[in-house]
Amino acid sequence: MADEQAGILNQARTRFAPSPTGYLHLGSLRTALYNYLLAKATGGQFLLRIEDTDTKRTVHGAEDAICQDLAWAGLQWDEGPQVGGLYAPYRQSERTALYKEHAAKLLNSRHAYRCFCTQERLDSLARERNKLGLSTYYDRTCLSITEDESDERAHNSEPHVVRLVTPAQYPEYNDLVYGHVGKLKERRLGLAKQNGFEDPVIIKSDGLPTYHLANVVDDHYMKITHVIRGVEWMPSTPKHLELYKAFGWEPPAYAHVGLLQDINKQKLSKRDFNMDLEKMKMDGILPEALMNFVALLGWSHAMGSDFFTLQQLIDNFSMKFTKGNVVVNFGKLNYLQGLHFRKHLVEGSKDFERIVDRIVTLVDDDSEMVVDPEILNGRTLREFLISLLRLDTSSSFTTASSFVERHRSIFGYRQSEPDRARMFQTERPRHEIRLIAEAAQHIGDVPRDQWSVAALKSQIASVVQDIVRKDHFNQENAESLKDAKYVNNSLLAWIRWAIVDGQKGPSMFDIIELLGRNTTLQRLEAAELRLSTIQEGDTVSSSKKI
């Protein structure tokens, strides 16, 4: 990481502080990743803190799910739930006494005051100010209450909140992304007695703190040095800095990153199915591929490639974030998933074994995929699938599920009759189809003990020459049947259709060797019988990829 990056210390202490009111999505995962990378790039610490003071909206099981998702993504926290740390507890619900203590300090120093206004009055005030075109700020009715009266009313359990006294104008502050953020407009008086003040609530009527107070107190006592968060929090930053000033504390450095948008430049919704981390995991997206993708959503680098492992992200991380919002292109995720997937296809690695495990499970659980013992030929399903993985070097599949779908026909799955017929509609005469189909049967001339790619290639070459030498006098397309390359491609296209329903994949010779002699011949014979389902004049495609 570049040492000259402004505002970066040798060892940054960062935190990810989610609320268990929902599950991780792309935006929150990006926040966690950036804070993790900064801590690791500087040799610092990454903390996980659960901000669970919003008891009404807390979702049962959300905290455990957040921890599991972070662990799956490789973002292991140094301090926090499950691991502990010097500044425990790391759940805000277990730190309420600390917040009340500091709210009392603000009351004593007159940086805060109790507000006894009922919700009905506040709603009425907001409606009145809204009609006048004014902001729905508070009118400070309760600021004039004496300290003794405020203490007595609170002692008598009169419902109230605690508000922070904010200045008429917030000062500038430095943001690590946007630089000096200008002063907010000075509040001007509206109509008579309609001047308003932001004065945010810092202690709710139930005695629990709001985000503003709790996160400032926690960041201070947990010695957080840097806060990276979404730009939607920029309006709150002056309030937080005001709290630091009131307590006499040094604030952390702030960096705000742009909102995530869809291709229509609309804010990416948390409810967007593409944002669902659980769905991505079920689809087989690899953790490192997702972290690679998420890192690029607003971070700039000078490397020649966008491919990064998590360690490479740490080694190359800097605070070079783009200003403005970021359009999310999920096509980039698919591209990076392919690169990472191929990288993990190294036998013996944990990642490879995990991928194979997933493929085996998918095949076992698919009722349409019948694993014929004849195909396995004495091998276990796992051994057979590993052999198939070795053969398929294509980049056409990027997950375990797409690999299984790509090779569905290996296990005898057949497309519907109309689909099969459409595959063969081209300009070839029927006699040519018959000629090719009958010639393919000569693959059976290769004995079982010699069944290999080399022997199969030799046999096909021999069959092709027999067709080329044959007299096709007065038959349509006779000249084409004298072309060895044309005949070879036609023959292999037929075999691919007969063996795997025409599905693209590894070399047909590799597939035939893998399936074995009996299965190959059975499928060739069955394919000839299926020709009867095609109407007279229907044709066979010669454009199949060999």
Side-chain angles (χ1 to χ4, degrees):
M1 181 172 180
D3 292 334
E4 68 271 14
Q5 186 72 33
I8 304 302
L9 304 177
N10 288 330
Q11 289 188 327
R13 279 179 64 84
T14 65
R15 47 76 168 174
F16 176 53
S19 171
T21 54
Y23 303 98
L24 282 189
H25 54 81
L26 214 56
S28 55
L29 188 61
R30 182 184 63 161
T31 298
L33 175 63
Y34 285 163
N35 282 282
Y36 173 87
L37 292 176
L38 176 58
K40 298 306 171 183
T42 58
Q45 298 83 41
F46 172 63
L47 283 67
L48 175 61
R49 187 172 72 224
I50 304 298
E51 300 194 339
D52 58 347
T53 57
D54 191 348
T55 54
K56 292 181 180 178
R57 295 176 58 229
T58 295
V59 175
H60 178 70
E63 179 185 328
D64 287 340
I66 288 170
C67 291
Q68 290 169 11
D69 286 342
L70 288 175
W72 172 83
L75 307 184
Q76 182 57 52
W77 52 101
D78 300 298
E79 300 175 27
Q82 301 179 2
V83 299
L86 294 175
Y87 305 101
Y90 292 91
R91 294 182 186 86
Q92 287 187 339
S93 60
E94 299 172 5
R95 300 169 64 85
T96 54
L98 183 65
Y99 308 135
K100 290 180 179 179
E101 174 190 338
H102 284 77
K105 289 182 179 181
L106 293 176
L107 288 169
N108 292 335
S109 64
R110 304 299 291 174
H111 285 101
Y113 61 97
R114 296 187 185 93
C115 175
F116 297 91
C117 292
T118 64
Q119 190 59 52
E120 290 75 17
R121 180 185 184 277
L122 294 174
D123 291 342
S124 175
L125 176 64
R127 286 194 297 269
E128 184 179 354
R129 291 179 62 82
N130 188 57
K131 289 178 182 178
L132 295 169
L134 301 172
S135 62
T136 54
Y137 287 153
Y138 181 57
D139 61 1
R140 282 187 173 173
T141 293
C142 293
L143 181 61
S144 59
I145 298 175
T146 65
E147 184 176 349
D148 288 342
E149 180 186 346
S150 176
D151 288 345
E152 182 178 358
R153 292 172 71 173
H155 180 73
N156 291 333
S157 301
E158 183 175 345
H160 66 276
V161 299
V162 177
R163 294 181 180 271
L164 175 70
V165 178
T166 55
Q169 184 173 345
Y170 288 120
E172 287 185 344
Y173 71 92
N174 184 59
D175 185 272
L176 295 181
V177 178
Y178 289 89
H180 288 287
V181 178
K183 297 179 181 179
L184 299 185
K185 292 181 179 179
E186 185 174 355
R187 301 191 184 92
R188 301 184 183 280
L189 295 180
L191 299 178
K193 297 183 180 180
Q194 289 299 320
N195 56 307
F197 301 86
E198 190 166 11
D199 291 2
V201 174
I202 56 175
I203 293 290
K204 296 177 289 186
S205 59
D206 60 5
L208 293 175
T210 62
Y211 171 80
H212 303 304
L213 177 64
N215 102 89
V216 165
V217 170
D218 287 342
D219 283 351
H220 171 72
Y221 282 102
M222 294 179 184
K223 302 187 184 303
I224 300 302
T225 63
H226 294 76
V227 174
I228 304 175
R229 58 190 182 185
V231 72
E232 65 269 25
W233 289 107
M234 282 187 85
S236 296
T237 304
K239 305 181 189 67
H240 301 163
L241 293 174
E242 199 63 29
L243 280 164
Y244 278 102
K245 180 180 176 182
F247 286 125
W249 298 337
E250 185 71 23
Y254 287 97
H256 292 90
V257 293
L259 293 175
L260 300 183
Q261 296 181 320
D262 61 23
I263 57 174
N264 297 316
K265 301 293 182 71
Q266 300 298 310
K267 182 179 178 181
L268 209 58
S269 170
K270 295 178 183 179
R271 296 174 179 83
D272 190 318
F273 204 41
N274 287 326
M275 292 268 284
D276 191 330
L277 197 63
E278 193 59 34
K279 178 184 180 296
M280 292 182 187
K281 291 163 66 175
M282 289 178 62
D283 285 347
I285 297 296
L286 295 170
E288 281 201 337
L290 184 58
M291 293 302 95
N292 190 167
F293 172 67
V294 170
L296 299 175
L297 297 177
W299 172 64
S300 299
H301 64 86
M303 305 301 290
S305 168
D306 279 344
F307 178 87
F308 292 93
T309 63
L310 189 58
Q311 186 58 51
Q312 288 170 335
L313 285 171
I314 293 171
D315 295 340
N316 292 280
F317 188 71
S318 69
M319 296 290 281
K320 293 180 180 179
F321 299 115
T322 55
K323 295 180 181 179
N325 298 330
V326 181
V327 174
V328 179
N329 176 11
F330 286 100
K332 183 78 169 185
L333 173 58
N334 294 332
Y335 167 74
L336 293 170
Q337 166 71 11
L339 296 180
H340 283 276
F341 191 83
R342 307 235 73 79
K343 172 181 173 289
H344 289 316
L345 289 182
V346 178
E347 291 185 55
S349 71
K350 291 182 179 179
D351 293 311
F352 179 82
E353 296 302 320
R354 188 165 59 244
I355 289 169
V356 173
D357 287 342
R358 178 61 178 157
I359 292 173
V360 170
T361 299
L362 289 170
V363 173
D364 276 338
D365 292 347
D366 193 325
S367 60
E368 292 183 331
M369 300 180 75
V370 180
V371 182
D372 187 345
E374 185 72 42
I375 297 176
L376 299 182
N377 194 22
R379 295 164 292 195
T380 65
L381 176 60
R382 185 183 185 83
E383 290 168 341
F384 178 85
L385 290 169
I386 288 175
S387 296
L388 187 56
L389 267 172
R390 290 194 194 112
L391 296 179
D392 199 344
T393 58
S394 168
S395 59
S396 298
F397 64 93
T398 58
T399 64
S401 57
S402 61
F403 174 83
V404 171
E405 193 61 34
R406 175 176 167 83
H407 294 293
R408 180 174 290 276
S409 295
I410 288 284
F411 298 96
Y413 172 81
R414 294 296 174 194
Q415 298 179 6
S416 66
E417 291 294 331
D419 284 343
R420 293 206 305 274
R422 279 194 292 272
M423 292 171 64
F424 272 71
Q425 289 176 357
T426 186
E427 298 178 352
R428 284 193 182 164
R430 190 170 182 79
H431 74 83
E432 184 178 317
I433 300 174
R434 287 295 180 190
L435 177 67
I436 294 295
E438 291 169 4
Q441 293 290 345
H442 287 286
I443 291 178
D445 293 343
V446 179
R448 179 189 296 273
D449 60 353
Q450 296 178 28
W451 196 262
S452 66
V453 169
L456 291 166
K457 284 184 176 180
S458 177
Q459 180 63 20
I460 290 293
S462 176
V463 170
V464 168
Q465 289 304 313
D466 285 345
I467 293 174
V468 170
R469 287 194 295 266
K470 187 175 180 179
D471 183 5
H472 303 287
F473 182 70
N474 284 337
Q475 288 191 345
E476 189 179 349
N477 213 31
E479 289 302 317
S480 295
L481 294 175
K482 293 294 185 181
D483 183 340
K485 182 176 180 181
Y486 173 85
V487 173
N488 183 76
N489 289 347
S490 299
L491 186 58
L492 290 178
W494 161 259
I495 294 173
R496 185 174 290 279
W497 180 80
I499 303 298
V500 290
D501 280 352
Q503 179 63 53
K504 294 179 180 179
S507 160
M508 240 7 266
F509 296 109
D510 289 329
I511 291 295
I512 292 171
E513 181 187 44
L514 178 67
L515 290 176
R517 186 174 184 276
N518 285 355
T519 298
T520 298
L521 297 181
Q522 288 170 6
R523 293 191 179 187
L524 286 172
E525 183 178 352
E528 270 203 276
L529 293 175
R530 292 206 307 276
L531 277 178
S532 61
T533 65
I534 302 175
Q535 298 294 326
E536 184 68 25
D538 283 350
T539 53
V540 182
S541 172
S542 62
S543 60
K544 296 295 172 188
K545 181 179 178 181
I546 306 304

